[in-house]
Amino acid sequence: MKNQSSSIKNLKYPMTSILFSILGIYIFILVGYFAKRSFKEQMDERTITLLSVYFLQVFLTFWGLLKRPIDTTLFMTPILYLSVVFIALFLMLPIVRQLFEDQKERSIATVAALIGNTGNLGIHLGIAIFGEASIPYTTVINLANVFFVYTVGVYFYSRGSFSVRASLGNIIRLPILWAAIIAISLNLIGYVPDESVEKTLMMGAYASMTMQLVLFGIYLYDVKVKSLNLRLTYWTNAIKFALLPIIAFGVIHFSDFEPLVKGVLFMELMMPLAVSNVNLAALYDCRPKDLTAQVFISSLLFLGIIFLVIKILPSL
């Protein structure tokens, strides 16, 4: 424990690795952007969304949950992550009802900032900052985020167009939820996929992550600065980069976790908005173009904020 604490405090953060991790992800966003720019209406966003949500993300779920045995000591990490997220959610709810009258805007304002890019960006940045020791923790945090996305996220985004009953039904109908339950059950009984199965799941998982980034780029093409919803933009980024970090620092600082776990938790809670926000908004017709703008702006802001995060990590 002491050796690990010392190594975290004396860690020299590789800025170039962090920047290349971020920029490498943005390449696939540019692919989607220029594909839409080149082929216009021939690029069908709806088809890509359905393919990603209903098929490819099932592979991602199985791959993540069967990658290593579930250790009970790891459960506390996602629990603390979700605790911070739900504290922020309950603090926001009464304010959102007062600030936003439109149901779709209200849905975005409630949940968008709470769904961070813990997978595509968080896992890679964890390796760049903390090394491979962070992988078990970033993986379980990402899984917790996936559950939040496909339960709470689905409920709020579908509430923009559906009733409460229909929104709850949308959660149950998503295959990723059932895939997660099956994968966890297989993990708990000791199932370990052989090499060929592992490769198949990995191919589907990376295809899913790449598809989400390309889809983000496609929606980004249609975003116009003149039509930007400024009130929603200010609100979303204030929650993401002000309220969440304050709650996170207070909760994590006084916890008994090891410095490595504290650092990973804080970093993951600071991740910019996830592309899955756009996937769900498109799936339930909840202003996906507005969501694309919010994801893009938070991603740009994060390029500068990440260096502030790195300076804060040793004080946790």
Side-chain angles (χ1 to χ4, degrees):
M1 177 85 69
K2 290 182 179 179
N3 291 334
Q4 187 181 58
S5 174
S6 177
S7 64
I8 294 298
K9 289 181 178 179
N10 297 325
L11 182 64
K12 295 185 181 297
Y13 301 101
M15 297 297 184
T16 53
S17 296
I18 295 169
L19 282 175
F20 278 118
S21 294
I22 298 172
L23 294 176
I25 291 168
Y26 281 39
I27 288 174
F28 295 103
I29 297 174
L30 289 175
V31 168
Y33 177 87
F34 284 109
K36 182 66 174 179
R37 182 179 179 180
S38 301
F39 299 103
K40 302 294 190 299
E41 299 305 318
Q42 296 180 57
M43 297 296 298
D44 186 1
E45 301 95 319
R46 180 72 175 176
T47 299
I48 297 174
T49 299
L50 293 173
L51 178 62
S52 173
V53 173
Y54 282 92
F55 295 96
L56 292 177
Q57 290 187 29
V58 171
F59 287 93
L60 177 61
T61 303
F62 273 100
W63 182 67
L65 286 170
L66 294 175
K67 195 167 180 63
R68 56 161 289 158
I70 294 177
D71 187 343
T72 53
T73 60
L74 293 179
F75 276 127
M76 289 305 298
T77 306
I79 287 174
L80 193 60
Y81 174 88
L82 288 175
S83 297
V84 173
V85 169
F86 276 107
I87 289 172
L89 175 63
F90 290 128
L91 288 175
M92 283 193 298
L93 282 174
I95 304 174
V96 167
R97 293 192 185 101
Q98 299 296 321
L99 289 179
F100 300 93
E101 295 181 2
D102 181 83
Q103 182 61 55
K104 293 184 179 182
E105 280 191 7
R106 189 179 295 173
S107 295
I108 295 171
T110 302
V111 77
L114 303 180
I115 299 176
N117 195 342
T118 57
N120 294 336
L121 185 57
I123 293 175
H124 292 93
L125 277 184
I127 295 171
I129 296 175
F130 303 102
E132 294 187 359
S134 67
I135 293 177
Y137 303 103
T138 53
T139 300
V140 294
I141 288 172
N142 185 52
L143 294 175
N145 191 44
V146 167
F147 274 107
F148 183 84
V149 169
Y150 290 102
T151 52
V152 178
V154 168
Y155 173 79
F156 278 103
Y157 281 128
S158 61
R159 278 290 290 130
S161 303
F162 297 87
S163 66
V164 174
R165 183 175 180 179
S167 297
L168 293 173
N170 288 332
I171 296 173
I172 298 173
R173 281 193 291 271
L174 281 174
I176 189 172
L177 189 61
W178 299 104
I181 293 172
I182 294 171
I184 290 173
S185 301
L186 289 172
N187 194 310
L188 291 175
I189 64 174
Y191 171 72
V192 178
D194 59 29
E195 186 177 352
S196 59
V197 174
E198 168 74 14
K199 287 183 178 179
T200 301
L201 294 176
M202 183 175 66
M203 288 173 61
Y206 276 96
S208 170
M209 290 187 283
T210 304
M211 187 74 77
Q212 290 182 62
L213 294 170
V214 170
L215 183 64
F216 174 44
I218 290 173
Y219 278 108
L220 186 62
Y221 174 77
D222 290 322
V223 174
K224 307 299 180 186
V225 176
K226 292 182 180 179
S227 62
L228 189 65
N229 189 327
L230 291 178
R231 181 169 59 169
L232 193 59
T233 300
Y234 293 144
W235 171 264
T236 302
N237 286 285
I239 298 301
K240 176 81 265 182
F241 298 121
L243 179 63
L244 268 178
I246 291 171
I247 297 172
F249 187 87
V251 172
I252 295 171
H253 183 72
F254 295 103
S255 70
D256 294 328
F257 283 103
E258 298 172 357
L260 170 64
V261 182
K262 288 183 177 182
V264 170
L265 271 166
F266 191 78
M267 179 201 72
E268 289 281 43
L269 285 161
M270 289 293 293
M271 288 298 105
L273 273 62
V275 180
S276 53
N277 280 295
V278 179
N279 288 342
L280 293 182
L283 189 63
Y284 299 114
D285 190 27
C286 189
R287 299 193 178 181
K289 292 179 182 179
D290 279 353
L291 244 305
T292 302
Q294 304 311 316
V295 175
F296 180 65
I297 291 170
S298 73
S299 299
L300 286 180
L301 291 174
F302 182 75
L303 289 173
I305 291 173
I306 181 60
F307 299 104
L308 177 61
V309 172
I310 290 173
K311 292 183 179 295
I312 294 173
L313 292 179
S315 65
L316 292 172

